[in-house]
């Protein structure tokens, strides 16, 4: 038994409960980190892209400190915790597809922190990976939780994916204004991102409660 496993056993934490703790923590860090970066960014409005908090896009990127450091660090830490939690769930669950998509979601978030908005095209690619795989992960989670929580997961994932798809639909196919254009790009983006953050908090709490109810602790 290695040192990490021994500590986990002493704390009476199973892989599932430790993953729940990690996911709930990552949701808290993500939500509060974004809010903190917004407060520290001069004259910031939620109509702006969330990624502007780290850096605006080329050709004339604008970086405000300490907002940029707070936001980029938030993404790095959130991504790492999600990846670690996915590893724990991979060990604990029979359904391996869900932890894999969760890990890719975490990689996307980590990449957003590594490549701020001024690093094209990598920032955009990792942001898209985060949004798409985040929505897919949340939808997949409906298969590993019980009702009625599965319905809530379906709502979170469905709203996020629907908003993401609608942006491409109206931008590329319709080539017209988005019905929610009055929210601004940042407002629409938050309808994609915030359901994912709320899911991290809710799903993490679900895993903790489930493990506690089952007495599922590490040996």
């Amino acid at each position: 038994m290695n040192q990490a496993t021994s500590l986990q056993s002493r704390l009476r934490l199973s892989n599932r409960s430790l993953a729940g703790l990690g996911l709930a923590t990552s949701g808290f860090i993500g939500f509060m980190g974004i809010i903190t970066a917004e407060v520290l960014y001069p004259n910031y409005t939620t109509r702006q892209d969330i990624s502007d908090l780290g850096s605006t896009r080329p050709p004339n990127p604008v970086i405000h400190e300490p907002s940029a450091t707070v936001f980029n660090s938030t993404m790095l830490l959130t991504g790492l915790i999600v990846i670690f939690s996915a590893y724990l769930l991979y060990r604990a669950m029979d359904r391996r597809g869900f932890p894999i998509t969760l890990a890719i979601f975490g990689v996307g978030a980590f990449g957003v922190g590594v490549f701020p908005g001024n690093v094209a095209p990598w920032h955009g690619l990792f942001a898209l990976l985060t949004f798409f795989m985040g929505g897919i992960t949340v939808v997949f989670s409906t298969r590993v939780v019980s009702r009625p929580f599965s319905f809530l997961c379906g709502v979170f994932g469905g709203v996020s994916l629907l908003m993401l798809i609608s942006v491409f639909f109206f931008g590329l196919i319709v080539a017209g204004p988005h019905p929610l254009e009055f929210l601004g790009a940042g407002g629409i983006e938050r309808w994609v991102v915030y359901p994912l953050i709320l899911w991290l908090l809710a799903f993490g709490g679900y895993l903790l409660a489930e493990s506690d109810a089952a007495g599922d602790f590490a040996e």
Side-chain angles (χ1 to χ4, degrees), residues 32-52:
M32 297 307 298
I34 290 175
I35 290 177
T36 302
E38 289 173 348
V39 172
L40 296 174
Y41 193 108
N43 302 313
Y44 184 80
T45 170
T46 52
R47 293 178 62 87
Q48 291 178 241
D49 291 344
I50 297 175
S51 295
D52 283 359

Side-chain angles (χ1 to χ4, degrees), residues 96-170:
R96 298 297 176 86
F98 168 71
I100 291 174
T101 61
L102 179 63
I104 298 174
F105 173 36
V107 169
F110 184 80
V112 169
V114 173
F115 303 105
N118 60 322
V119 185
W122 297 108
H123 176 80
L125 293 174
F126 275 101
L128 183 59
L129 179 67
T130 304
F131 299 158
F132 180 71
M133 290 308 300
I136 293 295
T137 298
V138 177
V139 170
F140 276 11
S141 72
T142 61
R143 303 175 61 186
V144 299
V145 300
S146 58
R147 297 179 181 178
F149 184 55
S150 61
F151 295 121
L152 185 61
C153 292
V155 170
F156 285 156
V159 167
S160 181
L161 282 176
L162 179 62
M163 290 301 297
L164 179 62
I165 293 172
S166 71
V167 170
F168 287 97
F169 178 77
F170 285 97

